[in-house]
C-alpha cells in the first residue's frame, strides 16, 4: 500500500514537473472528479470517459483523480443521496424535467432517477468549473514557487533511487506513446 | 485540442467490449433469475441453461429446479422448459413486456445432485410479515401446549373399592358425632334449667294452702272474701308458671331446629364425600372440550404457520413494489441510494404480463402416453408496479391429478397491491383429498391417523393490511380411524376408539383470524358434541357400578353416627317437650282445683253475706218498727 502511494506521489510530481499544459492537467482533475464521484455502473460515466478521450486531457492525472475521488465518494454518498432526493422529490419545479429524462427510450438506463447517481452528477457538474480553475491555479503556483526547490530535494532523490521508479518510467513512456497516437 | 485518432480507437475498443459482453448477457440473466427465485422460495434454484434471442424476442429457460425446503436433496418442482415471448422495443425503455409464456414438463419431488439448502438469512425487523406473525403463532402453540393432552392417555378409573375409600374424607361422621354429643349436652342442660324454673311440689303446696283456707271459714264474709282473693292470687302464680313453661318450650324448639339444621348440613357433607369419590374416579375431572382442537387443530396450526410464513415472504416482496409517498412518487431503496419513480399517466410498469393462459399435461414416468397430471394456469395483470398498473394481479389454477393425494384443485389468487394497504386473497376448492394424508392428532403424544376415506376442502383466505381471516371447511367422507399407534394406556383411548368408529361423515371448520397482532384459532365440527357426549356416556357406563358400590360403602360408614345423631336429636326433642308439656298439664290441673276451691268458698262467702244482711234487716226492723206509720190493709 505504501509502495502504491509512493508510486502515485512520484507520478504526480513527474506530471507536475513536466511541461504539460496546466489546463490539460486541471481538466483531467475535474473530469476525474466527475467520474469518480458517480457510481461506477452509471452510464453517463461512459460519456465522460469518451469526452476525456476526445479532448486533450492528461490521462495519468485523470486516472489519478478518478481514484482519489472514488475513495472520497464513499464518504460523500450520504450527501449525494440527500441532494439527489431534494432534486428529485422535494424540488417539484424540476419534476417535469426528471419525468422527461427518466422515461422514453434509452434514458431509463442512465438511472437519473437514482438519488446517488443524480446527486453525484449534479454535485460534480457544479464543482467542475471551480475545481478546473482551482487546479489550474495550483499547477501554476507549484511550477512558479516549488518546482525547482523540489527537483533538488532529497525526497525526490530518494524516490528515484527505489526500484519502482524504473517500472514507473516504463509505464510513463507507454502512456506517452498512447498520447502520441492522439 | 481534439485527439480524433485516440478517441476513435477507444470507441472501437469499447464497441468490441460491448459486443463481447452481449455473450455474457445470458449468464447474467440466469444468475439474476436464480437469485430472484431463491429469494422468494428460500431454497436454492438452479437453471441449467438460458438463452435470450433479441432477434426472435424470446427467452428460453432450460430445466428450472427449485429445491425443497424440507428435503435438501429433493426438488419441490422441476420444469423442463419455459419459453417467454417478449416485446423488444419496450426493452429500450427498460421495460419487459411478456406476450406469451409457456411451460413444458412439470415434475414434482425429483432428486437433486447437490443440496438445496441456502445459508440462513439475517433476522428481519419486527413487522407483521417479520416476527409478529411468528410470535403470534408461538403464543398459539403455547396455548396448545397447555391443553391437558396427556389426560387422553393417562386417564384411568380406579377399580379397587378400598383404594377409593382410603383416599376419601368423611367430614360428615365428625359432624354427626358432634350433633349427637351436643344434643346430649343440651338435653342435660335443659333438664336442669326446667328444674330450676319450677318444682312440681310448688303446685301441690299451693293446693294444700288453698284447701286449708277453705277450712274453718270465718262467719264474716269479708274475711272469706280475703281468702278467695288469696286463692285467686295462687291461680295467678300458676298462670305465670304456665307462661314460663311455654316460653321454655319455644326455646327448646329453637334449639332443636338449629340442631336439625346442623344435621342437614352434616347430611350435605355426605354428598360432598360422594362428589369426592366421583372425582377420584376421574370422571368429573375429565375435560373433553379440548378434544376437537387436539385431534384436528394441532398439526393444522403448524401447517398454517408455514403457510403464513410463505405468504409473508410473498407480501414482503410484493410490498417492495408499492413503496412510496402520496406525492406522486414511489421510492425504492437500492444498494446504492434510492430509485425515485414518478407516478404519471405516461409511466408504466417495467414488467408486465397482461394475460397468459396455458395448460400443461404431465405424463406418467414409465408410460409416456398416459397423462397423470393436468394443469391449466391463467395469469392476469402480473406486473412490477401495481400502483402504476392499477389492477390487481390474478392467477387461476385448475389442476387434475390421477391416483394422487388430491384429485382436483381449483384455486384463485388475487394480490391487490394497487393501494397503500395490500390485500392477498385466495379462494379454492380441493376435491377428493386422501383423508389419510390429512394431519390429525399430535405426533408422539397422540399419534392418531386416518386410514381411509376422502375429504373435500374449501379455502377462503383474506389478508387485508394486517387483518387476516382464514377459513377452511373440510368435509370428510367414509373415514376410518387408525388408533394402532396411540398408546393404549388408560381407559380413554379404547373409549375414543369406540366413539370414533361411528365418525365417518363429518365436517370440520378451521378459522384463523388476527386481532391486535394476536391470532385467534378455532376448530368447530358437527361431531364435537358427539365426541364429548359419546366419551361421557361410555365413561358413565364404566364408572356407574363402582359409583354405586362406593356410595353404599360411604353410607354404611356414616350410617351409625348418623343414626346416633338422629336418635339423640329426637330424644332431646321428645324428652324436653314431654317434660314441659306434662308440667303445663299439672299446672292446668292445679289451676282447675284452685278454681274449684275458690268457687266453693265464694259460695260460702255469698251465703254468709246473705245471712248477715238478713239478720241486719231483721234487727233494723225490730228497732224501727214502733216509729213506723201504721198502714191499713
Amino acid at each position: 500500500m505504501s509502495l502504491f502511494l509512493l508510486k502515485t506521489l512520484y507520478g504526480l510530481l513527474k506530471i507536475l514537473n513536466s511541461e504539460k499544459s496546466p489546463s490539460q492537467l486541471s481538466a483531467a482533475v475535474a473530469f476525474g472528479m466527475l467520474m469518480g464521484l458517480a457510481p461506477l455502473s452509471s452510464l453517463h460515466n461512459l460519456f465522460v470517459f469518451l469526452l476525456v478521450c476526445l479532448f486533450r486531457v492528461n490521462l495519468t492525472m485523470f486516472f489519478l483523480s478518478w481514484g482519489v475521488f472514488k475513495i472520497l465518494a464513499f464518504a460523500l454518498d450520504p450527501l449525494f443521496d440527500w441532494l439527489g432526493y431534494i432534486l428529485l422529490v422535494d424540488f417539484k419545479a424540476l419534476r417535469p424535467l426528471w419525468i422527461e429524462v427518466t422515461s422514453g427510450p434509452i434514458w431509463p438506463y442512465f438511472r437519473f432517477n437514482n438519488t446517488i447517481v443524480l446527486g453525484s452528477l449534479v454535485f460534480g457538474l457544479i464543482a467542475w468549473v471551480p475545481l478546473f480553475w482551482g487546479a489550474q491555479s495550483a499547477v501554476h503556483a507549484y511550477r512558479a514557487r516549488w518546482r525547482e526547490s523540489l527537483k533538488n530535494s532529497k525526497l525526490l532523490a530518494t524516490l528515484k533511487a527505489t526500484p519502482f521508479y524504473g517500472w514507473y518510467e516504463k509505464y510513463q513512456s507507454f502512456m506517452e506513446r498512447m498520447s502520441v497516437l492522439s | 485540442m481534439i485527439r480524433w485518432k485516440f478517441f476513435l480507437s477507444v470507441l472501437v475498443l469499447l464497441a468490441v467490449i460491448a459486443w463481447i459482453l452481449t455473450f455474457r448477457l445470458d449468464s447474467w440473466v440466469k444468475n439474476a433469475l436464480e437469485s430472484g427465485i431463491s429469494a422468494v422460495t428460500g431454497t436454492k434454484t438452479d437453471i441449467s441453461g438460458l438463452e435470450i434471442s433479441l432477434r426472435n424476442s424470446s427467452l428460453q429457460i432450460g430445466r428450472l429446479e427449485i429445491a425443497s425446503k424440507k428435503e435438501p436433496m429433493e426438488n419441490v418442482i422441476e420444469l423442463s422448459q419455459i419459453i417467454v415471448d417478449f416485446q423488444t422495443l419496450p426493452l429500450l425503455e427498460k421495460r419487459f413486456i411478456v406476450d406469451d409464456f409457456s411451460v413444458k414438463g412439470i415434475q414434482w419431488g425429483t432428486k437433486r445432485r447437490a443440496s438445496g439448502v441456502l445459508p440462513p438469512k439475517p433476522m428481519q425487523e419486527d413487522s407483521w410479515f417479520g416476527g409478529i406473525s411468528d410470535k403470534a403463532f408461538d403464543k398459539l402453540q403455547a396455548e396448545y401446549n397447555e391443553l391437558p393432552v396427556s389426560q387422553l392417555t393417562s386417564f384411568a378409573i380406579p377399580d379397587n373399592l378400598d383404594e377409593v375409600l382410603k383416599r376419601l374424607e368423611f367430614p360428615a361422621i365428625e359432624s354427626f358425632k358432634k350433633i349427637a354429643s351436643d344434643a346430649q349436652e343440651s338435653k342435660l342442660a335443659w333438664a336442669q334449667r326446667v328444674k330450676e324454673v319450677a318444682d312440681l311440689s310448688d303446685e301441690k303446696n299451693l293446693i294444700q294452702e288453698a284447701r286449708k283456707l277453705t277450712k274453718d271459714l270465718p262467719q264474716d264474709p269479708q274475711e272469706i272474701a280475703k281468702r278467695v282473693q288469696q286463692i285467686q292470687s295462687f291461680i295467678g302464680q300458676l298462670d305465670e308458671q304456665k307462661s314460663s313453661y311455654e316460653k321454655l318450650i319455644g326455646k327448646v324448639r329453637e334449639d332443636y331446629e338449629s340442631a336439625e339444621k346442623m344435621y342437614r348440613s352434616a347430611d350435605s357433607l355426605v354428598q360432598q364425600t360422594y362428589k369426592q369419590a366421583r372425582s377420584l374416579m376421574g370422571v368429573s375431572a375429565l375435560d373433553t372440550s379440548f378434544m376437537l382442537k387436539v385431534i384436528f387443530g394441532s398439526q393444522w396450526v403448524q401447517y398454517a404457520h408455514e403457510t403464513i410464513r410463505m405468504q409473508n415472504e410473498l407480501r414482503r416482496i410484493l410490498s417492495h413494489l408499492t413503496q412510496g409517498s402520496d406525492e406522486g412518487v414511489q421510492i425504492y431503496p437500492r444498494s446504492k441510494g434510492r430509485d425515485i419513480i414518478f407516478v404519471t399517466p405516461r409511466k408504466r410498469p417495467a414488467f408486465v404480463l397482461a394475460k397468459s393462459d396455458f395448460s400443461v399435461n404431465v405424463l406418467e414416468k414409465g408410460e409416456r402416453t398416459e397423462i397423470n397430471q393436468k394443469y391449466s394456469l391463467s395469469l392476469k395483470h402480473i406486473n412490477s408496479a401495481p400502483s402504476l398498473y392499477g389492477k390487481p394481479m390474478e392467477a387461476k389454477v385448475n389442476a387434475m391429478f390421477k391416483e394422487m393425494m388430491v384429485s382436483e384443485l381449483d384455486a384463485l389468487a388475487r394480490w391487490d397491491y394497487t393501494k397503500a394497504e395490500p390485500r392477498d386473497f385466495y379462494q379454492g376448492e380441493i376435491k377428493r383429498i386422501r383423508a389419510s394424508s390429512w394431519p390429525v392428532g399430535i405426533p408422539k403424544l397422540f399419534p392418531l391417523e386416518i386410514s381411509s376415506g376422502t375429504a373435500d376442502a374449501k379455502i377462503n383466505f383474506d389478508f387485508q393490511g394486517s387483518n387476516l381471516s382464514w377459513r377452511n371447511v373440510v368435509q370428510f367422507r367414509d373415514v376410518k380411524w387408525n388408533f394402532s399407534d396411540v398408546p393404549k394406556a388408560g381407559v380413554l383411548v379404547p373409549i375414543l376408539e369406540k366413539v370414533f368408529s361411528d365418525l365417518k361423515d363429518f365436517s370440520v371448520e378451521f378459522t384463523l383470524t388476527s386481532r391486535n397482532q394476536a391470532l385467534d384459532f378455532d376448530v368447530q365440527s358437527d361431531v364435537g358434541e358427539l365426541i364429548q357426549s359419546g366419551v361421557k356416556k361410555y365413561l358413565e357406563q364404566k364408572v356407574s357400578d363402582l359409583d354405586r358400590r362406593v356410595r353404599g360403602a360411604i353410607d354404611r360408614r356414616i350410617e351409625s353416627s348418623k343414626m346416633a345423631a338422629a336418635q339423640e336429636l329426637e330424644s332431646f326433642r321428645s324428652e324436653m317437650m314431654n317434660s314441659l308439656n306434662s308440667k303445663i298439664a299439672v299446672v292446668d290441673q292445679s289451676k282447675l282445683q284452685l278454681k274449684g276451691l275458690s268457687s266453693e268458698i265464694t259460695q260460702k262467702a255469698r251465703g254468709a253475706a246473705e245471712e248477715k244482711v238478713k239478720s241486719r234487716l231483721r234487727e233494723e226492723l225490730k228497732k224501727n218498727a214502733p216509729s213506723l206509720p201504721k198502714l191499713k190493709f
Side-chain angles (χ1 to χ4, degrees):
Chain A
M1 189 66 185
S2 57
L3 292 174
F4 173 74
L5 284 174
L6 212 63
K7 227 170 84 176
T8 310
L9 181 67
Y10 187 77
L12 182 68
L13 290 173
K14 180 92 192 247
I15 295 164
L16 289 173
N17 292 341
S18 69
E19 290 307 317
K20 301 272 180 204
S21 150
S23 58
Q24 279 183 24
L25 295 177
S26 51
V29 171
F31 276 122
M33 177 269 297
L34 195 60
M35 210 164 135
L37 293 182
L40 195 65
S41 59
S42 308
L43 195 59
H44 70 262
N45 276 348
L46 185 70
F47 290 88
V48 175
F49 183 68
L50 288 173
L51 277 177
V52 168
C53 294
L54 187 65
F55 296 110
R56 285 188 184 283
V57 175
N58 186 279
L59 287 175
T60 311
M61 187 56 106
F62 167 74
F63 284 117
L64 207 64
S65 165
W66 183 13
V68 170
F69 281 101
K70 191 81 245 165
I71 295 162
L72 262 179
F74 287 111
L76 292 172
D77 270 355
L79 171 75
F80 300 148
D81 180 53
W82 171 78
L83 180 65
Y85 188 84
I86 285 177
L87 289 168
L88 284 164
V89 180
D90 295 344
F91 202 15
K92 287 190 175 125
L94 285 174
R95 194 165 287 182
L97 173 70
W98 304 134
I99 290 171
E100 210 57 48
V101 296
T102 54
S103 49
I106 307 296
W107 283 111
Y109 290 98
F110 282 87
R111 295 182 64 218
F112 288 135
N113 63 329
N114 182 276
T115 50
I116 287 184
V117 173
L118 189 74
S120 61
L121 179 66
V122 170
F123 182 88
L125 288 173
I126 293 167
W128 199 92
V129 179
L131 188 71
F132 177 78
W133 288 115
Q136 205 172 33
S137 315
V139 172
H140 277 301
Y142 168 77
R143 284 179 178 173
R145 291 177 199 170
W146 298 301
R147 184 162 62 176
E148 287 310 313
S149 54
L150 202 75
K151 263 185 180 174
N152 302 323
S153 70
K154 280 182 182 173
L155 175 72
L156 209 64
T158 318
L159 278 175
K160 278 182 178 174
T162 59
F164 302 103
Y165 178 74
W167 302 346
Y168 179 73
E169 282 283 276
K170 282 177 194 166
Y171 165 72
Q172 196 61 27
S173 62
F174 168 74
M175 290 308 281
E176 272 164 13
R177 275 204 298 281
M178 286 291 281
S179 22
V180 168
L181 270 173
S182 62
Chain B
M1 190 68 187
I2 294 175
R3 39 185 179 188
W4 282 111
K5 279 182 190 169
F6 180 65
F7 175 72
L8 288 173
S9 56
V10 169
L11 207 62
V12 169
L13 186 70
L14 287 175
V16 170
I17 293 169
W19 183 67
I20 292 165
L21 285 180
T22 52
F23 290 104
R24 297 285 303 154
L25 185 66
D26 291 355
S27 158
W28 287 341
V29 174
K30 178 179 161 276
N31 290 342
L33 261 178
E34 281 177 343
S35 55
I37 299 169
S38 293
V40 177
T41 57
T43 56
K44 209 170 175 188
T45 303
D46 294 309
I47 294 170
S48 65
L50 185 143
E51 199 185 316
I52 300 170
S53 169
L54 291 172
R55 198 187 296 162
N56 299 328
S57 314
S58 74
L59 166 73
Q60 277 195 37
I61 301 169
R63 214 169 82 210
L64 172 83
E65 294 172 85
I66 301 171
S68 161
K69 220 166 192 176
K70 288 176 184 167
E71 296 291 332
M73 295 308 287
E74 250 183 37
N75 289 316
V76 67
I77 189 168
E78 185 182 322
L79 309 171
S80 300
Q81 196 182 38
I82 302 169
I83 300 170
V84 182
D85 285 334
F86 58 88
Q87 294 176 18
T88 320
L89 281 177
L91 288 177
L92 291 173
E93 295 176 34
K94 220 179 172 182
R95 297 178 67 223
F96 189 69
I97 310 295
V98 176
D99 280 337
D100 206 1
F101 183 89
S102 68
V103 176
K104 281 179 189 167
I106 297 179
Q107 279 182 294
W108 309 95
T110 52
K111 295 282 170 205
R112 284 182 64 83
R113 282 180 211 151
S115 169
V117 178
L118 284 178
K121 283 183 190 171
M123 288 291 283
Q124 298 275 339
E125 61 182 48
D126 268 13
S127 66
W128 173 253
F129 30 86
I132 291 170
S133 66
D134 281 347
K135 280 179 193 164
F137 270 104
D138 286 348
K139 204 176 156 206
L140 206 62
Q141 198 61 52
E143 283 173 24
Y144 254 94
N145 295 342
E146 280 170 21
L147 290 178
V149 182
S150 57
Q151 227 186 34
L152 290 173
T153 48
S154 65
F155 182 79
I157 299 170
D159 50 358
N160 189 335
L161 182 65
D162 293 335
E163 278 295 312
V164 177
L165 290 174
K166 261 183 202 171
R167 289 161 68 189
L168 284 179
E169 287 167 3
F170 295 91
I173 293 176
E174 289 305 311
S175 290
F176 282 131
K177 280 180 180 169
K178 192 169 184 306
I179 290 163
S181 70
D182 285 356
Q184 273 179 347
E185 281 173 21
S186 293
K187 202 163 71 180
L188 290 171
W190 273 105
Q192 187 61 34
R193 206 166 157 189
V194 170
K195 208 173 177 184
E196 281 168 10
V197 170
D199 198 343
L200 280 175
S201 57
D202 291 346
E203 286 89 38
K204 285 177 188 167
N205 291 340
L206 283 174
I207 289 165
Q208 277 176 0
E209 197 72 24
R211 281 204 177 121
K212 274 180 193 169
L213 289 171
T214 54
K215 285 172 185 169
D216 305 326
L217 282 172
Q219 291 302 309
D220 187 2
Q222 279 183 344
E223 285 298 317
I224 297 170
K226 273 181 189 171
R227 289 191 180 192
V228 170
Q229 276 177 356
Q230 227 172 331
I231 291 169
Q232 287 297 333
S233 76
F234 291 163
I235 291 169
Q237 276 180 41
L238 285 177
D239 279 338
E240 279 174 24
Q241 191 88 350
K242 188 184 175 181
S243 78
S244 69
Y245 284 144
E246 278 168 351
K247 276 178 192 169
L248 282 179
I249 285 176
K251 282 180 180 171
V252 166
R253 199 168 281 143
E254 274 173 25
D255 271 11
Y256 174 75
E257 276 168 5
S258 78
E260 206 179 25
K261 212 174 174 181
M262 278 171 71
Y263 181 85
R264 280 198 298 272
S265 72
D267 211 26
S268 71
L269 290 175
V270 182
Q271 297 297 327
Q272 202 176 303
T273 309
Y274 291 157
K275 275 185 190 168
Q276 197 196 353
R278 190 86 176 159
S279 72
L280 285 175
M281 288 177 231
V283 178
S284 57
L286 179 69
D287 178 13
T288 50
S289 61
F290 66 92
M291 270 186 194
L292 266 184
K293 275 195 168 182
V294 166
I295 292 162
F296 296 105
S298 174
Q299 293 197 64
W300 195 88
V301 164
Q302 287 170 20
Y303 152 75
H305 192 180
E306 281 300 315
T307 310
I308 294 282
R309 234 183 231 164
M310 278 165 66
Q311 162 57 35
N312 287 344
E313 192 58 29
L314 181 68
R315 179 174 276 198
R316 191 180 64 76
I317 293 159
L318 292 177
S319 295
H320 193 65
L321 306 175
T322 55
Q323 288 175 25
S325 61
D326 53 357
E327 294 174 340
V329 291
Q330 288 181 348
I331 301 157
Y332 301 106
R334 299 284 183 231
S335 57
K336 262 188 164 293
R338 292 168 277 181
D339 278 0
I340 312 293
I341 303 293
F342 300 100
V343 182
T344 63
R346 277 172 61 198
K347 189 73 191 169
R348 282 165 294 170
F351 169 79
V352 173
L353 172 62
K355 193 171 186 298
S356 183
D357 295 309
F358 64 93
S359 58
V360 182
N361 293 337
V362 180
L363 302 172
E364 293 260 9
K365 277 178 189 169
E367 289 284 328
R368 305 301 295 170
T369 49
E370 280 282 313
I371 296 170
N372 75 345
Q373 293 167 51
K374 231 177 176 180
Y375 300 89
S376 90
L377 177 69
S378 167
L379 299 171
K380 245 167 120 181
H381 312 311
I382 307 297
N383 65 90
S384 61
S387 55
L388 293 177
Y389 199 77
K391 290 173 189 168
M393 295 183 260
E394 211 173 275
K396 275 185 193 169
V397 187
N398 180 268
M400 312 264 268
F401 306 91
K402 191 180 153 193
E403 290 170 7
M404 290 183 83
M405 206 170 76
V406 172
S407 292
E408 202 179 325
L409 163 81
D410 213 348
L412 162 77
R414 190 180 291 130
W415 302 280
D416 190 353
Y417 286 70
T418 55
K419 298 172 196 84
E421 194 176 63
R423 184 180 183 193
D424 304 285
F425 178 79
Y426 305 98
Q427 198 175 45
E429 207 174 334
I430 310 170
K431 285 179 185 166
R432 291 188 298 283
I433 306 166
R434 268 187 207 153
S436 57
S437 62
W438 193 269
V440 288
I442 301 177
K444 290 177 187 169
L445 282 175
F446 192 68
L448 176 66
E449 281 173 5
I450 295 176
S451 55
S452 65
T454 58
D456 291 345
K458 280 183 181 169
I459 304 154
N460 207 307
F461 183 103
D462 196 350
F463 188 18
Q464 188 164 16
S466 59
N467 292 327
L468 170 73
S469 165
W470 183 359
R471 187 166 165 264
N472 262 25
V473 180
V474 190
Q475 181 68 51
F476 289 90
R477 284 191 195 87
D478 295 328
V479 165
K480 275 185 185 163
W481 298 87
N482 180 4
F483 277 75
S484 58
D485 292 336
V486 181
K488 295 288 183 287
V491 287
L492 210 54
V493 173
I495 287 175
L496 282 172
E497 214 171 336
K498 273 185 199 167
V499 172
F500 274 64
S501 64
D502 295 334
L503 305 182
K504 286 189 168 91
D505 301 327
F506 57 93
S507 75
V508 185
E509 187 180 324
F510 305 89
T511 49
L512 186 72
T513 46
S514 69
R515 201 178 298 148
N516 301 327
Q517 297 191 342
L519 288 172
D520 198 3
F521 175 60
D522 194 24
V523 184
Q524 292 290 329
S525 173
D526 49 0
V527 290
E529 282 292 313
L530 218 66
I531 294 171
Q532 284 191 44
S533 59
V535 169
K536 289 265 178 204
K537 191 185 90 184
Y538 280 112
L539 271 179
E540 285 298 334
Q541 281 175 8
K542 281 242 172 207
V543 298
S544 60
D545 178 50
L546 179 69
D547 187 43
R548 204 180 56 250
R549 286 194 295 144
V550 168
R551 273 175 185 251
I554 292 168
D555 287 344
R556 280 193 296 281
R557 192 168 281 193
I558 290 171
E559 199 179 12
S560 60
S561 52
K562 188 178 176 180
M563 288 276 283
Q567 278 169 1
E568 282 300 331
L569 269 182
E570 186 49 35
S571 108
F572 164 71
R573 190 191 68 83
S574 59
E575 279 183 29
M576 285 301 104
M577 296 300 269
N578 287 345
S579 151
L580 288 167
N581 282 333
S582 64
K583 282 195 184 288
I584 288 169
V586 170
V587 169
D588 283 342
Q589 213 173 355
S590 304
K591 259 171 73 181
L592 273 174
Q593 283 181 11
L594 286 176
K595 276 180 185 169
L597 290 170
S598 168
S599 61
E600 189 184 318
I601 59 171
T602 305
Q603 285 293 329
K604 283 181 180 170
R606 201 173 282 145
E610 277 174 8
E611 275 303 310
K612 196 173 178 180
V613 170
K614 278 179 187 169
S615 64
R616 184 79 184 264
L617 273 172
R618 273 187 220 112
E619 277 172 21
E620 284 296 317
L621 281 172
K622 275 180 189 171
K623 200 164 76 180
N624 296 317
S627 58
L628 289 171
K630 289 181 181 171
L631 294 171
K632 287 181 181 176
F633 297 99

